[in-house]
Amino acid sequence: MCTGKCARFLGLTLIPLSLVCIVANALLLVPNGETAWTNHLSLQVWLMAGFIGGGLMVLCPGIAAVRAGGKGCCGAGCCGNRCRMLRSVFCSAFGVLGAIYCLSVSGTGLRSGPYCLVNGTWDYHFEETLGSYLLNRTQWDLCEKPPGVVYWNVTLFSLLVAASCLEIVLCGVQLVNAAIGVFCGDCRKEDAPH
């Protein structure tokens, strides 16, 4: 596969993944779909890892990769596609950092558990379990408020962890692909369609 076609494929994969992260983070802000609990959200939700890290910081390399998959450079096609590939190298490195941020914050959110009310006290009640609460669903009912917050957080943080792992891999592949594209150019013929 040519570096341009590969870049376009990777970019078209990264863009929906970044949008999934943005939506997942937005849903974390409204536990169980209710806005009444915004004063009782965990720190990991407020760090906006899905919106900033896995979302916007990965959307940039996704768009850059799609553009690098096009033909021409700096408007005139003077150097194949090397300028766009060079920009894609830097954007992909930026995307890897964003995805790592999303992975680390989301993983911490899974391990610590939600900020919830148990026996009249708001706290991170699952923090001492070191993540073992994830395997014991009977503990999930200990959180009285917000209702269903454990299931909500586990589902959405797991989605963010999975998406950010894919983003790290795809941004890393695009980083290598774009570096090859900078040094070797694109293998497509001049008359090939975009």
Side-chain angles (χ1 to χ4, degrees), residues 1-107:
M1 182 181 281
C2 296
T3 57
K5 288 180 182 178
C6 182
R8 189 166 182 80
F9 172 76
L10 291 169
L12 291 173
T13 307
L14 284 169
I15 291 171
L17 274 175
S18 67
L19 297 176
V20 164
C21 288
I22 290 171
V23 169
N25 203 133
L27 289 172
L28 280 167
L29 292 169
V30 287
N32 216 23
E34 300 172 10
T35 58
W37 308 108
T38 53
N39 293 334
H40 300 290
L41 297 175
S42 66
L43 172 65
Q44 290 78 21
V45 173
W46 287 115
L47 289 174
M48 301 282 190
F51 184 77
I52 297 169
L56 297 178
M57 288 179 73
V58 173
L59 188 60
C60 171
I63 292 170
V66 170
R67 293 197 49 158
K71 292 183 87 179
C73 167
C74 310
C78 58
C79 56
N81 209 17
R82 294 175 191 214
C83 294
R84 289 182 185 166
M85 284 292 186
L86 182 61
R87 183 180 60 202
S88 186
V89 167
F90 294 117
C91 287
S92 296
F94 185 67
V96 167
L97 293 176
I100 289 172
Y101 171 66
C102 183
L103 176 63
S104 59
V105 171
S106 300

